[in-house]
Amino acid sequence: MPVRSEAAPPRAAYVNARLLDPATRLDQPGGLLTEGEAILDFGAHVTQGALPGDAEVIDCAGQCLAPGLVDIRVQLREPGEEHKGTLASAGRAATAGGITSMVCLPNTHPVIDDISVVEFVARRARLLGLTKVYPYGAVTRGLEGKDLAELGMLGEAGAVAFTDGVKAIASAKVMRQALLYARTFDLLIVEHPEEPSLALGGDMNAGEVATRLGLIGIPREAEVILVERDIHLVRMTGSRLHFAHLSTAAAIDAVRKAKESGLPITCDTAPPYFAMNENAVGDYRTFAKLSPPLRAEEDRLAVIEGLRDGTIDAIASDHAPEDEDAKRQPFAQAAFGGIGLETLLAISLELYHNGHCTLLDVLRLISCRPADLMGLPAGRLAKGAPADLTLFDPDRAWQVREHELYSKSKNTPFDYRPVQGRVLMTVVDGRRVFALG
Amino acid sequence: MLSGVDLKSRSMIDGDSIFPFRHRHLLGIEGLVPPEISLILDRSEVYVEQNRRADKKQSLLRGRTIINLFFEASTRTRTSFELAGKRLGADVINMSLSTSSIRKGETVIDTAMTLNAMHPDVLVIRHPESGAVKLLSEKVNCSIINAGDGSHEHPTQALLDALTIRRRMGRLSGLKVAICGDILHSRVARSNIHLLNIMGARVRVVAPRTLLPSAVERLGVEVFHDMRKGLQGCDIVMMLRLQNERMQGNYIPSIREYFHFFGLDYEKLSRASGEALIMHPGPMNRGVEIDSVVADDFGRSVIREQVEMGLAVRMACLELLTANAAGADAPNL
């Protein structure tokens, strides 16, 4: 259950833990001492017998103590659609998922295209004291794909990167201008890579399943077409660009080649794209209606390969809360998106349990690497760093059940899935904000 | 889509049939097995004869209520279901909801649940979205017949087509059937492809590439883009309606060009077998997908016979599903 302490304890010692730090590839038994909001010390020498007398002692019982997870793609729905999700409900879900920092998309009402909205989100999140929230700013005003938002001022106000959220920047001209202008201030643009006219009206991945169900297909080529276009624009402008939630073999291959040629391009994917394929739509399951759509099995395998070989830099939850009214609809009318904060760790750990990645590599994809991409002070065990921690049991089995999740909306594509890996405790700035009840 | 069937249990309808029809709903053809389809067709034959008599009405479904719930305009299918219910003695109500409560903001599910509260025995539903009928079937406790959902399925159309073919040709198995036209948007094509494959026919589809769904060959069809080749040696030529709004999405450049390459005329028909039957689910666009003279060819066009078979097939479906509802052990699918 979420717990809240008003202030961080002066000193707390997490002893008898398996310390994991993917940035330094640390994996050893030991303890970690916090003072106020920061990490004071950690290592094998931090044991029960060698602590300052005033430290509160937490016995980790040999479980994994790692940097708090960092989720770089979350839709909060506040302000504007609080019936689907709020900063508070997402904060509770995120802390239950071991996430201590998250970056939220600007597709709220109003859109985060104005410094006042950046400040509103930051202030509300700070008051809640749960998972830290960093906003994306919009690339274009109103996410309309036409006129640039005030990227420089939004960046000064605290927007960590810029994206038009769940919409691609359709115009190549606008994208070029955005990249060039962003480079002026060394800002990062994040693209939802989907060629809009090719995807328009589509319900799910084009292929046999869509054909059988009589649903309109979104061709896989919609993704790689935009990725290739943007790669050329990056080559032209020299700007940094990050592709969100890649889902197809062709797009991952294009990014792999672009990286090999030295372009400043990065990308992430989301758990559904390496844990499921289009068959999950089954008999019109709207919880499996995602954007981008779940793809073919060969794409799923290519996503895993991209994670293994480092082409894909990070895993983000792509948390997209939708209420029952938006999902209990004929498939074509149902909203896209699934929640993911509380399943990010468990589904990512499937990569470890299935032998594709080491435990440290999985953690790297959901902590230090995404933190570095967004320039966040997070994702590391380091003396003096914020005491943002996740204590988890990588082996504990549980079953995802929508009604047991903290998220306000329950639209998880993983409902009923048996998973391994459970968050036991989450610490933000030295405060224990979640402990498994 | 449909539940498994207990091979040992007997049909509650027909003491002679060794195979039961134990589905609660008829949502689609995909998932049915050959004896189930044969059973429906056998029962339909009985109603074909009954419908040709002067006294067409019986009281099998007296006291039962059937609601035709149409979220999309339809004259032929709705009339056919209405008459089918009435000939079996049921009370039949028609609701066309493209005009009433949907405009008031009520959801599809609310509408179905409201009607369900009036205890109908069968809901016959047509809806413009694929999967909508399946969604509604999860919310009600009466039987549901899918009268067409989006581009997904239209099972009674495939059954009436099969009955028409079987009566004319004596069989379905081994026949070469060409389905021509807008396969992409057609629920009739999908249901027919499933049914004909289940019954052992050989199915071809003939269309320009823009009117074919991706991976259509995975449904078990041979794909042709040249109608003359596609019709070569076929026993059945099934034409599909080309909806005028397809011009907007650049699926075809013009009606004229479409008819030139994919309209059925005698010249193209000459490639098919000499006794090939011409079928069309209606309503026809004469001069768009089919030449008027071919459509009216008394010897070969069975288009009007299809309408007659439709009534009989729908009576058989109503009979089989309501008989199940009376039994306590009807599985929930």
Side-chain angles (χ1 to χ4, degrees), chain A residues 16 101 104 110 121 162 259 268 278 287 309 394 405 425:
Chain A
N16 190 21
S101 296
C104 64
V121 172
F162 296 84
K259 284 183 158 191
D268 68 69
E278 61 192 336
F287 279 16
D309 73 6
L405 299 176
M425 185 183 287

Side-chain angles (χ1 to χ4, degrees), chain A residues 268-303:
Chain A
D268 68 69
T269 191
Y273 305 111
F274 58 82
M276 308 175 113
N277 63 29
E278 61 192 336
N279 293 329
V281 172
D283 235 354
Y284 303 101
R285 242 179 106 231
T286 57
F287 279 16
K289 181 176 179 180
L290 306 177
S291 174
L294 292 168
R295 306 288 188 179
E297 177 63 6
E298 60 261 34
D299 293 304
R300 186 185 76 86
L301 297 175
V303 171

